[in-house]
Amino acid sequence: MSFSAIIVAAGTGSRAGEAKQWRRLGGKPVIRWSVEAMLRAGASDVVVVVAAGSETAAAAALTDLSGWRLATGGSSRAASVRNGLRTLGGPGVRPVLIHDAARPFLDGPVIHRLIAALDSADGALPALPVADSLRRATDGHVAGSVDRADLWRAQTPQAFRYQVIVDAYAAWPEDETATDEAAVVERAGGRVLIVPGDTRLMKLTWPEDFAMAEALIPRQTRVGQGFDAHRWGPGSSVWLCGVEIPHDQTLIGHSDADAGLHALTDAILGAMGDGDIGDHFPPTDPQWKGASSDRFLIHAVERLTARGGRLVNVDVTLICERPKVKPHRQAMRERLAELLSLPLDAVSVKATTTEAMGFTGRGEGLAAQALATIELTGA
């Protein structure tokens, strides 16, 4: 059956330290998780309720998605829901799911259970039984226990037929605050069923909740490799892995010819399947002439972060007869750790020779190869 959805995203997120609906989780804004889940489950119309002035943020967060529209929030959650219902409109028998944007990990089975429950009830909500023992306390001292039998942790979305929830809100006293839509329907005499909730349908309330949510996102581990080589030419220093080393020659290239950073940039891009350094910084483009190669590396990391990924570790091998790399290896590791925001033990820089064989052995050039391990969200 076709259904509609209202996603409430008009809060300020004061307890989380910021407007959490716009904060990125797994590489995309929190609000987008819920809108995508509703659309995947078959929602024919999704109304996103945002605070006045947040329309641009919403459009940016939901770019490239269709099937949603905006409503302006009110002074309370109940007022925001009412505005969403007015924007949505009938027909009266259509199921409407009302969801908090701060619960991003919504999935299809919960939605389908809620809609099915409306065949025999006026409303439905997902909930989990209370598993912890409960205590009353006065001034921090235990003052008794609470029987947890028949106690449930209510979640969202909550489902109702359109006219049922509209009529229930019309009957709700203006001077009272509703805890949720189920309470509004119950007060109006409606019967609300509980369906099995989902432990992953947690509400993001406190700053530490985001770290827990990130840990719940499925991620793929990928490895990328990169290789680069440059010939030697006249000069007095060479850039390797972001460190300038005095030398009687320099590497020739369109940028600063830092072969270590070039190979590492390609390794990160390769792990994402995102082309290579030449695709992003064409050597035919004059703006990159003489450019510092750390710009290329930072660009690759920013693209990884935007996709919800993170860098795990990197390993660079420099292949040359000269200069001697070992005296500078620690400085190179520290510079890479700084550029990549990695702990030092996640950064390796090594050097080897080819025993006087090949172009590096003949002193014609220097080569570098790199490996990068990343974790990328599969959502």
Side-chain angles (χ1 to χ4, degrees):
M1 176 184 289
S2 176
F3 72 95
S4 299
I6 295 172
I7 298 176
V8 184
T12 60
S14 57
R15 288 176 292 182
E18 59 182 297
K20 54 196 172 187
Q21 60 270 41
W22 315 125
R23 182 169 169 175
R24 298 185 80 82
L25 175 67
K28 58 187 176 184
V30 167
I31 180 64
R32 190 178 181 102
W33 287 83
S34 296
V35 174
E36 287 180 342
M38 291 293 189
L39 293 173
R40 278 196 306 268
S44 58
D45 191 7
V46 177
V47 171
V48 180
V49 186
V50 301
S54 297
E55 294 82 3
T56 300
L62 302 175
T63 185
D64 300 328
L65 290 180
S66 59
W68 63 275
R69 50 197 172 119
L70 290 177
T72 303
S75 59
S76 65
R77 185 186 183 284
S80 293
V81 171
R82 282 172 161 161
N83 289 352
L85 288 167
R86 279 192 288 269
T87 300
L88 190 61
V93 297
R94 179 174 48 174
V96 177
L97 272 61
I98 301 171
H99 185 52
D100 295 329
R103 297 182 188 269
F105 297 142
L106 176 62
D107 64 5
V110 170
I111 293 172
H112 298 147
R113 288 195 291 268
L114 289 166
I115 295 173
L118 295 182
D119 290 340
S120 58
D122 300 299
L125 64 87
L128 299 172
V130 174
D132 299 318
S133 62
L134 300 176
R135 295 290 186 272
R136 288 193 181 91
T138 303
D139 297 327
H141 297 280
V142 173
S145 61
V146 177
D147 186 359
R148 67 186 181 211
D150 299 326
L151 293 180
W152 296 78
R153 295 162 47 203
Q155 300 177 318
T156 70
Q158 298 180 2
F160 314 90
R161 296 198 185 276
Y162 178 81
Q163 201 60 50
V164 168
I165 186 62
V166 168
D167 291 345
Y169 260 120
W172 183 266
E174 291 290 340
D175 59 346
E176 294 186 27
T177 300
T179 55
D180 60 10
E181 283 62 56
V184 175
V185 171
E186 290 175 63
R187 177 72 168 265
R191 179 170 171 264
V192 179
L193 286 182
I194 284 177
V195 304
D198 189 331
T199 55
R200 295 169 300 174
L201 203 48
M202 59 183 287
K203 185 176 183 180
L204 302 177
T205 302
W206 309 106
E208 56 268 26
D209 292 340
F210 280 84
M212 184 180 297
E214 288 284 357
L216 291 175
I217 299 173
R219 297 179 187 274
Q220 303 171 349
T221 298
R222 298 185 182 183
V223 177
Q225 65 173 350
F227 179 85
D228 192 45
H230 288 277
R231 60 185 175 86
W232 290 112
S236 59
S237 66
V238 58
W239 284 92
L240 292 173
C241 293
V243 174
E244 187 175 20
I245 300 173
H247 191 48
D248 57 6
Q249 290 180 299
T250 194
L251 292 173
I252 305 302
H254 187 63
S255 62
D256 63 7
D258 189 327
L261 293 191
H262 292 181
L264 187 50
T265 300
D266 267 351
I268 296 171
L269 292 172
M272 291 187 286
D274 195 15
D276 60 27
I277 194 170
D279 295 326
H280 295 265
F281 303 96
T284 55
D285 190 336
Q287 69 173 309
W288 307 122
K289 184 173 179 58
S292 174
S293 295
D294 56 9
R295 296 174 62 183
F296 309 156
L297 185 63
I298 291 170
H299 171 80
V301 174
E302 287 175 345
R303 290 183 70 84
L304 174 62
T305 302
R307 287 181 55 179
R310 74 179 187 94
L311 198 57
V312 178
N313 76 294
V314 298
D315 187 3
V316 180
T317 300
L318 301 173
I319 307 167
C320 59
E321 300 293 327
R322 298 172 56 239
K324 294 297 183 184
V325 171
K326 188 173 182 179
H328 309 282
R329 185 168 62 184
Q330 186 66 10
M332 293 179 185
R333 292 179 66 213
E334 291 174 356
R335 178 56 177 158
L336 289 179
E338 177 186 7
L339 289 171
L340 301 171
S341 298
L342 283 176
L344 191 60
D345 65 358
V347 177
S348 173
V349 175
K350 308 186 299 296
T352 189
T353 71
T354 56
E355 300 292 339
M357 297 181 292
F359 74 91
T360 60
R362 293 190 297 270
E364 297 171 3
L366 177 147
Q369 62 184 26
L371 292 176
T373 305
I374 68 170
E375 287 183 347
L376 194 64
T377 177

